[in-house]
Amino acid sequence: MADTTQAEDTALDSRAARRAARLARQITAFAKSHGGSAEGQLAHIGRGSTRIALVGANGEWGNLVAPSMPMARKAVELAGITLHEDFDGEFAAKVRTGPYEWSRMAGIQLGGPSNN
């Protein structure tokens, strides 16, 4: 019985490692397509999931979701990006927003254009 549990743990570990590597490749691709580098911040979003918020060197931003905080940390480590504790101040100032974001953030509440 112990051998079975140990084998299952190893399978889960290798599966998690593959998923972290896939997330790291996505982070690296984001960085390459948005100015050559990126910075990130991790946030727990519920049910064990973690959001990886990314900001490229050109100010473009995006999100990825990892099923756990340890997996998100491993993906960021593999990708080699700078990780911030909070999404505020100097880091938040790097985000470049465009007309779409502004209409989505305020336009809907104020009767602006819809997303259709």
Side-chain angles (χ1 to χ4, degrees):
M1 178 95 177
D3 292 334
T4 304
T5 304
Q6 193 172 26
E8 288 172 358
D9 289 345
T10 302
L12 290 174
D13 290 343
S14 65
R15 190 176 312 136
R18 287 192 307 273
R19 183 125 186 229
R22 185 171 49 248
L23 285 166
R25 286 191 301 272
Q26 291 173 317
I27 293 168
T28 302
F30 175 88
K32 284 180 183 177
S33 66
H34 294 290
S37 66
E39 299 176 45
Q41 189 264 336
L42 304 179
H44 174 74
I45 55 173
R47 293 193 180 213
S49 298
T50 300
R51 175 183 65 125
I52 306 169
L54 300 168
V55 179
N58 65 358
E60 294 290 322
W61 58 277
N63 291 301
L64 293 171
V65 175
S68 69
M69 184 65 77
M71 186 181 296
R73 287 194 185 283
K74 183 65 175 174
V76 167
E77 177 187 318
L78 290 170
I81 66 168
T82 301
L83 191 61
H84 295 268
E85 288 297 317
D86 297 307
F87 200 102
D88 61 358
E90 191 176 318
F91 181 48
K94 293 179 180 185
V95 175
R96 184 175 55 111
T97 57
Y100 172 78
E101 288 84 7
W102 282 103
S103 71
R104 295 295 298 157
M105 288 187 283
I108 292 172
Q109 291 85 355
L110 301 173
S114 69
N115 197 22
N116 296 334

